[in-house]
Amino acid sequence: MKKLIIIGAGGHARETLWLARSCSGFEVLGFADDSKPKSSLICDVPVLGKISTTVTDSFNNEDVQFVVAIGDPRIRKNIVDVIKAINSSVRFATLIHPSVLCSKYVEIGAGSMISAGVILTTQVVVGEHVIINVGAACGHDVVIGDYSTIGPKAQVSGGVVAHAVCEIAAGVVVRQGVRFGQGSMAAMGSVVMRDVAEYSFVIGNPARPMKELDRI
């Protein structure tokens, strides 16, 4: 049985607890969070302490794995960077709900979470520390870069490439072959018909740029 510590203790962390318990072979030890009191309970699971302390305490325990359960891609990347700085050999779990439909030609990186009802068809590449949320679908030859988030019920057509730290929010529909530049975001319910520039925030049907996001 693999021992798992969930980084974060918010809404997505509680969903991750459900995801981990739905996967075989994981025992959730607790949450690590800087804003929750140590030993408090969240969904019957204890808060183990602050993130840095919890990672340090597990330094010599090779059985422990981590997953960063924070929906915001930028915050998730920052926390992974902090964890790696504390312990460069830390292991990150990959969680895939048993209801996920995918072919054997799908690659999923370490630290990624694939939630219930997701469909990944063929030649799909999912990077590290990616979240693909409930009911989303990715068609053939899709590439999702490290630290990106795909929201619930998003529909990503074939040949789409989302570079690192992108966010495709809930209910977004993406036309085939579209490219998302690093750090870009499509707002909830948007229909994305054209490429999205780096650090651009797009919204609407069809989606249009509204502002530039902070660079990473």
Side-chain angles (χ1 to χ4, degrees):
M1 185 73 73
K2 300 172 186 175
K3 295 177 172 58
L4 181 68
I5 295 174
I6 298 172
I7 303 296
H12 190 75
R14 286 182 273 122
E15 291 186 352
T16 301
L17 173 64
W18 170 52
L19 171 57
R21 286 177 166 174
S22 299
C23 301
S24 60
F26 285 98
E27 175 192 357
V28 179
L29 299 181
F31 299 96
D33 191 281
D34 289 351
S35 63
K36 302 291 184 183
K38 184 176 180 179
S39 301
S40 58
L41 291 178
I42 298 175
C43 295
D44 72 41
V45 174
V47 175
L48 302 175
K50 295 183 181 297
I51 295 170
S52 59
T53 304
T54 304
V55 173
T56 302
D57 288 347
S58 65
F59 190 86
N60 294 319
N61 192 337
E62 295 181 355
D63 294 332
V64 173
Q65 298 185 27
F66 292 85
V67 65
V68 181
I70 295 172
D72 186 308
R74 293 162 181 257
I75 297 174
R76 188 162 67 253
K77 181 182 185 304
N78 288 342
I79 291 176
V80 170
D81 289 345
V82 167
I83 292 171
K84 288 181 176 179
I86 296 169
N87 181 2
S88 60
S89 62
V90 68
R91 295 196 300 164
F92 292 99
T94 302
L95 303 178
I96 303 171
H97 194 274
S99 67
V100 170
L101 298 178
C102 66
S103 73
K104 66 180 182 178
Y105 307 108
V106 172
E107 301 175 22
I108 301 172
S112 291
M113 291 167 273
I114 316 298
S115 302
V118 168
I119 299 173
L120 307 172
T121 62
T122 188
Q123 276 74 39
V124 175
V125 177
V126 178
E128 296 185 354
H129 306 287
V130 169
I131 293 173
I132 302 183
N133 224 314
V134 176
C138 295
H140 62 86
D141 302 294
V142 164
V143 178
I144 307 297
D146 296 346
Y147 305 104
S148 293
T149 296
I150 310 298
K153 297 290 184 180
Q155 304 295 304
V156 181
S157 301
V160 169
V161 175
H163 289 279
V165 204
C166 288
E167 184 169 0
I168 298 173
V172 171
V173 177
V174 186
R175 183 185 179 185
Q176 66 270 19
V178 164
R179 270 32 179 185
F180 287 82
Q182 177 171 296
S184 61
M185 178 181 179
M188 183 173 63
S190 297
V191 177
V192 184
M193 302 292 290
R194 298 180 179 177
D195 290 355
V196 180
E198 286 188 350
Y199 304 106
S200 179
F201 175 81
V202 300
I203 187 170
N205 180 6
R208 293 181 173 86
M210 289 296 291
K211 64 179 180 179
E212 184 172 333
L213 301 172
D214 292 339
R215 293 186 172 262
I216 302 165

